[in-house]
Amino acid sequence: MNWRLIKDKLAERSFALLLLSSVVVIFLILIGLTMKSVPLLRAESLLTVLTDSVWSPLKGNFGFLPFIMGTIWVTMISLIIAVPLCVLASVYLVEYASEALRKMVLPLMNVLAAIPPVLYGVWGVLFVVPILSDYIAPLLGVNTTGYTVFAGGIVLAVMIFPIMISIMVEVLQTIPQELKAASLSLGATKWETITKVILVKAKPGILAAIVLGVSRAFGETVAVLMVCGNIPQLPSSLFDAGYPLPALIANNFGEMMSIPLYDSALMFAALLLFVLIFGFNLLSRIILNRLEEKAQ
């Protein structure tokens, strides 16, 4: 047999094995977390665990609703802040900025993406929290310490800026120049071309960038833990403290494991976070596929 064919077969099977290994690892994580969560689910029904708002491990109450809502609040706030700013910044870099500015800013985005999360958390504690408590909250007639879901959302938004901007810029740069020229030749202004041609064509890629940003926001731990207040309650406003799921796991794992079902509850928190991220990515993939089908 030809050695080239043998090499091709080996490469094909190696890649298939690597793909299978990655899928198996995901299923092993899911199975492991599920098995560890079983004791809690035997003691309490799944519906009770998900809808109860009382978290008191010493009394055997493990209500996850405050942590679910805390995660959703912080993630949604970060998205509301980050998405418009990232889209506008990406459009500016691709369509308006000079080549020199673009070459300076894009490497800076990569540097920001490499900064450890704890540094963002320290920045949040020293900068974001005091501004919220001393300036913004008093203007709105609110009394707060600043350790709120709003602070967590701001810090997370800044953390996901680099990855979202980098991907969006790459997506916008793939739009054919002929498409832009055709729009301009028909009498459209540059802004009309951007909003009605470029952004429409780039919609699947922009959505993919948002999905990656959300995936990071869902699982972020240290920075959120430092600025959200870590109080297991249902947030009712931007200036309420929250307790997202990643902060719960990081803050309590290894402590009070002598309490019955406590370790199982933390494993269930990890399972819940896994399911939320997996479900969000699956839904986003379905939406992306439909957008790509319409674009063809």
Side-chain angles (χ1 to χ4, degrees), residues 118-131:
V118 67
L119 294 184
Y120 286 103
V122 172
W123 170 75
V125 171
L126 297 179
F127 185 77
V128 177
V129 169
I131 286 180

Side-chain angles (χ1 to χ4, degrees), residues 175-186 193 197-198 201-202:
I175 305 299
Q177 289 294 330
E178 293 80 4
L179 197 62
K180 304 175 188 177
S183 175
L184 293 171
S185 66
L186 291 173
T193 300
V197 177
I198 296 174
K201 183 70 175 177

